[in-house]
Amino acid sequence: MANFTRRKFLKTGAAAIAGLTIVPNTVLGKSFGHVPPSDKLNILGVGIGGRGAQVLRDMNSQNIIGLCDVDWKYSDHVFKEYPNAKRYRDYRKMFDELGKSADAVVVATADHTHALVASQAITMGKHVYVEKPLTHTVYESRLLTKLADKYQVATQMGNQGSSGEGVRKMCEWIWNGEIGEVTKVETFTDRPIWPQGMNRPEKVEKVPSSLEWDLFLGPAKYRDYNSIYTPWNWRGWWDFGTGALGDMACHILHPVFKGLQLGYPTKVQGSSTLLLTDCAPSAQSIKFTFPARPNLPKVGMPEVEVYWYDGGLKPMRPEGFPAGKEMNHQGGCVIFYGTKDTLVCGCYGADPWLMSGRTPSAPKVLRAIDTSHQMDWVRACKESAANRVQTASPFSEAGPFNEMVVMGVLGVRLQGLNQELHWDGANMRFTNIDPAATIRTVIKDGFQIKDGHPTFNKTMTDPVNAQAFAQELIKHTYRDGWKLPDMP
């Protein structure tokens, strides 16, 4: 994996040197997979009420021909923005009716349906933009990576910091040896800002007439509707989201993954506040270990430990960090501990700086992107696969990176094993879980004060085989009627 990632980085650098070339329409015509740059893309939007609304707004210079959302009240303002776009509740029907007219698809649904929508779009030969996190599971990330390669479509994950100057600058500094070898990185976010650590609601509410609840559930096990789940709060529920880690790690850990040219981790271990069966914890910490990678010409790439904190937890303030300076910048922080210097940046790779106070002058190594993250994807969609300059976060990179992110979720949800978990990335499996080991989680925290005395009354699941539990987290069993395409 390390060699694969390194080749991708070298290819990206070569593209940067070569510059951006658009082949004239007279040469390529309007063949499959290529739209002349002078033409507009025909785009379908799936999951448009929340983040999807802004993504589409950033590419509204194109033709938005179809809009799909399971909640028409939540998405009504977007329907009004594009009165000529045809409206749908089920993306499958939209694909059936508009698929032949569409060039590209934007996916901004809840995490657990990203892979379903995106994989079908790719197999139809459509370019795809998928909000972060790319997928809900490791298997789904691997699938999208391979499908994108097979069908040669333009792809982009919605971690917009990857198109920013900050990430490029950090790569320049790290690859030029300015901070030396890095063996430890600490990161945190100030999320979640939605409810987490909650018991599953017992009240069954009437489904609003504007919401297709069964379509929202999609491949997840059926549960009764409660307004606490959606819109937006789905991020905190394991069946639908990936908690604060999935929401923000794709922004905060990206410069770590790219700058240190990481591949698959070899070890992971998580810890958190009370871990519930249904809801992500209020706060958590995770330790990833990555093996040594091939050295670069000016710096070595030794084994590195990467730490993640959220929910108000933070690493200890580094020695020499300026007094009075806030560590949290735009929602998070990254600290690279190098043998020569310490590199710090905010969320999205924002505003990197060195603790020494130096401002290095290093060679440019990545293509500068002078448009938005979204429009750079539009640009890539209009280029033929043979001549395409890749986006800042194509699935060839975003897929393996997202595997790292959801590996953190695995570490947290398997913390009851009380061990560091060893990971075989190539085969997507843990290698050191005892075949006889079992695991239990808390269904409900029944703590209460009764007559002035505390009552501790947790409702637990029955013990289940830990290997089987882990495998279900790595690759979900979908509900009847929902299926992914086969792995290429």
Side-chain angles (χ1 to χ4, degrees), residues 249-270:
C250 288
H251 294 311
I252 294 171
L253 290 178
H254 177 256
V256 184
F257 186 86
K258 192 175 188 78
L260 297 182
Q261 302 197 0
L262 303 178
Y264 302 135
T266 52
K267 302 173 186 176
V268 67
Q269 187 166 15

Side-chain angles (χ1 to χ4, degrees), residues 69-71 74 110 205 207-208 211-213 216-217 225-235 237 240:
D69 202 287
V70 297
D71 188 341
Y74 187 52
E205 297 180 3
V207 179
L211 173 66
E212 288 288 344
W213 177 239
F216 173 82
L217 290 175
Y225 170 77
N226 187 286
S227 56
I228 200 169
Y229 296 130
T230 186
W232 207 64
N233 287 338
W234 51 261
R235 290 193 180 279
W237 298 92
F240 314 131

